[in-house]
Amino acid sequence: MAEENVVFVGKKPTMNYVLAVVTQFNSGVNTVILKARGKAISKAVDVAEIVRNRFVPSLQYGEIKIGTESLQSEKGETNVSSIEIEMKRE
Amino acid sequence: MAEENVVFVGKKPTMNYVLAVVTQFNSGVNTVILKARGKAISKAVDVAEIVRNRFVPSLQYGEIKIGTESLQSEKGETNVSSIEIEMKRE
């Protein structure tokens, strides 16, 4: 089974992540997982949809998981939402 | 089957939507669907996780769907990402 690849979505421009995902698919893997937390969750959904609509039409979504992660910061422990979007090329 | 209820997440404070969802579950329905677009997608995930972690521990996620909707604005047609989070009480 092709090694599953993870792309973490953060503060960079959306198209950086679109390029990262497309590059992974072009390198031959069949599954890429997008991960994001907090406000970057919306951007992760944008990335997935741009890849599916413009670059990899055969792309299907596998499991989409949402959850909560706790982060240690100077102000103590804070909770942040997280998402994982499994993208599979048929 | 209890009528499926939809809560649209927009620009209001997060807790407004948490209250709306908890109120739906308290009124006896077993399935509530959160819908959001664009930047509100992150807030929708926050709402789902707050409800699950603090108010309805037996809550399970059903289908989580992401997609693209096209909007008509003064600047013409624009695309925006969307999410649907199905929340089911066991």
Side-chain angles (χ1 to χ4, degrees):
Chain A
M1 199 189 80
E3 196 242 321
E4 278 180 45
N5 292 277
V6 178
V7 174
F8 288 93
V9 177
K11 292 194 161 70
K12 292 184 195 137
T14 301
M15 292 313 282
N16 285 43
Y17 303 106
V18 169
L19 187 61
V21 173
V22 172
T23 305
Q24 299 273 8
F25 278 124
N26 287 346
S27 72
V29 303
N30 288 316
T31 300
V32 175
I33 295 182
L34 280 177
K35 290 189 178 182
R37 296 194 292 213
K39 297 222 182 309
I41 288 173
S42 298
K43 189 182 290 184
V45 176
D46 288 343
V47 170
E49 281 296 291
I50 291 169
V51 170
R52 187 170 69 98
N53 292 328
R54 289 196 231 159
F55 296 95
V56 185
S58 64
L59 187 128
Q60 301 279 327
Y61 292 128
E63 204 175 357
I64 299 174
K65 289 188 259 187
I66 55 177
T68 298
E69 295 179 17
S70 59
L71 299 181
Q72 285 300 336
S73 67
E74 312 85 49
K75 287 172 269 172
E77 195 173 280
T78 53
N79 284 336
V80 66
S81 294
S82 63
I83 197 167
E84 281 188 30
I85 302 170
E86 186 185 29
M87 308 165 68
K88 292 196 266 193
R89 180 172 50 179
E90 292 308 297
Chain B
M1 200 190 78
E3 196 242 321
E4 278 181 44
N5 293 276
V6 177
V7 174
F8 287 93
V9 177
K11 292 194 161 70
K12 291 184 196 139
T14 301
M15 293 314 282
N16 285 45
Y17 303 106
V18 169
L19 187 61
V21 173
V22 172
T23 306
Q24 300 272 9
F25 277 124
N26 286 347
S27 72
V29 303
N30 287 317
T31 300
V32 175
I33 295 182
L34 280 177
K35 291 189 177 182
R37 296 194 292 210
K39 297 220 182 313
I41 288 173
S42 299
K43 190 182 289 185
V45 176
D46 288 343
V47 169
E49 281 296 291
I50 291 169
V51 170
R52 187 171 69 98
N53 292 328
R54 289 196 231 156
F55 295 95
V56 186
S58 64
L59 187 128
Q60 301 279 327
Y61 292 129
E63 205 175 353
I64 299 174
K65 289 188 260 186
I66 56 178
T68 298
E69 295 180 18
S70 60
L71 300 181
Q72 285 299 336
S73 67
E74 310 85 47
K75 287 171 268 171
E77 195 173 281
T78 53
N79 285 335
V80 68
S81 295
S82 64
I83 196 167
E84 280 188 32
I85 301 170
E86 186 185 28
M87 308 165 68
K88 294 195 268 194
R89 179 171 50 179
E90 292 306 298

